[in-house]
């Protein structure tokens, strides 16, 4: 089977054709390419890679609360806790500004889980009532005060607590990233719907380890050891053991 036939049979050919036709359809309808706040065409924004750095990125953690954790089904509680804490610890080592918020802490969803609180000493957790964290003026002000234009979000649930502020940030001219494995949700349907909606809005989806090593950039940096230690990736221990064995 040739490539064209394969694409047509899988439906990818139709999707590719729709993407290719989109600019001409927009032109025929008298529409301009969608613009960001800065005036850059979204298609150009997607095509241009500008890396995350210590100087342009901030971390926003939304609703990692005990009550919400009990409903998560796409990760085990232990794995999700590990990933969120690792993200927070490494972000602190890299000196990223960190904004943390909860919703209905004293009524519906309970406090931030203790391991994350312990990993973020001295950081005030903003409790709010709004569903979208960005709708709370204190959260919005804290994010804006970081002065960073690239925002890394993680939250429970993925499709609401992470997605809503991430998509709002896009509409305000920021670049949004979501650490999918430091977020969680309550069913596979909600997970897939949330991922699709964020992609449609221009949010960049990744995992906590990739985002952090992108910011680290160079393994020769003095922060490299502490960052990898904070990320605590199980396979990294094995890699170290292999390297040690070959060094004998």
């Amino acid at each position: 089977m040739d490539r064209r036939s394969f694409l047509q049979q899988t439906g990818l050919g139709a999707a590719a054709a729709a993407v290719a036709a989109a600019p001409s359809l927009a032109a025929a309808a008298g529409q301009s390419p969608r613009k960001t706040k800065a005036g850059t065409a979204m298609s150009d924004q997607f095509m241009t890679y500008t890396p995350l750095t210590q100087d342009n990125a901030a971390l926003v953690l939304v609703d990692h609360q005990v009550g919400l954790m009990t409903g998560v089904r796409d990760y085990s509680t232990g794995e999700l806790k590990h990933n969120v804490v690792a993200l927070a610890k490494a972000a602190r080592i890299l000196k990223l500004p960190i904004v943390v918020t909860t919703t209905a802490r004293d009524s519906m969803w309970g406090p931030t889980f203790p391991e994350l609180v312990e990993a973020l000493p001295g950081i005030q957790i903003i409790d709010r009532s709004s569903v979208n964290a960005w709708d709370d003026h204190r959260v919005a002000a804290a994010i804006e005060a970081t002065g960073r234009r690239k925002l890394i979000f993680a939250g429970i649930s993925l499709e609401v607590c992470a997605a809503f502020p991430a998509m709002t940030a896009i509409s305000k001219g920021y670049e949004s990233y979501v650490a999918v494995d430091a977020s969680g949700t309550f069913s596979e349907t909600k997970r897939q719907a949330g991922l699709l909606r964020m992609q449609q809005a221009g949010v960049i989806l990744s995992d906590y380890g990739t985002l952090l090593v992108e910011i680290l950039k160079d393994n020769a940096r003095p922060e490299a050891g502490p960052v990898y230690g904070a990320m605590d990736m199980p396979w990294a221990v094995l890699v170290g053991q292999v390297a040690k064995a070959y060094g004998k």
Side-chain angles (χ1 to χ4, degrees):
M1 181 185 297
D2 62 26
R3 180 174 178 272
R4 182 176 180 181
S5 299
F6 174 77
L7 291 174
Q8 288 174 339
Q9 289 190 20
T10 57
L12 295 176
V19 171
S24 58
L25 291 173
Q31 298 173 349
S32 300
R34 185 167 159 226
K35 303 286 185 177
T36 65
K37 190 174 182 180
T40 303
M42 290 296 290
S43 58
D44 293 339
Q45 180 184 350
F46 293 147
M47 293 174 63
T48 303
Y49 169 60
T50 306
L52 292 159
T53 71
Q54 275 186 286
D55 300 318
N56 65 19
L59 176 63
V60 184
L61 299 176
V62 186
D63 300 352
H64 291 92
Q65 296 167 252
V66 173
L68 291 168
M69 290 283 290
T70 63
V72 170
R73 295 294 180 266
D74 52 346
Y75 289 96
S76 69
T77 301
E79 182 179 6
L80 182 56
K81 280 187 173 184
H82 169 276
N83 294 350
V84 179
V85 170
L87 173 61
K89 286 182 175 180
R92 282 181 65 86
I93 293 167
L94 290 166
K95 297 182 172 59
L96 299 188
I98 303 174
V99 177
V100 187
T101 180
T102 55
T103 183
R105 176 177 58 208
D106 299 322
S107 55
M108 296 179 66
W109 303 124
T112 302
F113 68 84
E115 296 90 335
L116 182 57
V117 175
E118 184 179 349
L120 297 169
I123 292 181
Q124 179 188 6
I125 299 175
I126 303 168
D127 192 53
R128 63 184 206 285
S129 61
S130 63
V131 173
N132 183 345
W134 204 292
D135 289 343
D136 186 285
H137 71 276
R138 297 165 301 163
V139 176
I143 294 173
E144 291 164 1
T146 68
R148 308 300 174 87
R149 304 306 298 176
K150 292 176 177 285
L151 304 176
I152 300 170
F153 292 90
I156 303 173
S157 65
L158 171 73
E159 77 287 353
V160 173
C161 303
F164 285 4
M167 293 188 296
T168 302
I170 290 284
S171 73
K172 294 181 179 295
Y174 292 83
E175 291 183 42
S176 290
Y177 299 73
V178 167
V180 174
D181 56 350
S183 305
T185 191
F186 314 130
S187 72
E188 184 62 22
T189 298
K190 292 176 77 63
R191 176 183 175 83
Q192 294 304 323
L195 294 173
L196 179 60
R197 188 174 183 189
M198 285 190 284
Q199 285 181 310
Q200 290 170 335
V203 177
I204 299 170
L205 305 175
S206 191
D207 62 278
Y208 82 91
T210 297
L211 295 169
L212 291 168
V213 297
E214 182 174 351
I215 294 168
L216 177 65
K217 189 175 181 177
D218 190 337
N219 288 318
R221 290 180 57 180
E223 297 96 333
V227 166
Y228 282 110
M231 288 195 294
D232 188 29
M233 296 177 290
W235 55 265
V237 175
L238 180 59
V239 172
Q241 291 170 341
V242 171
K244 185 176 180 179
Y246 276 110
K248 291 181 179 180

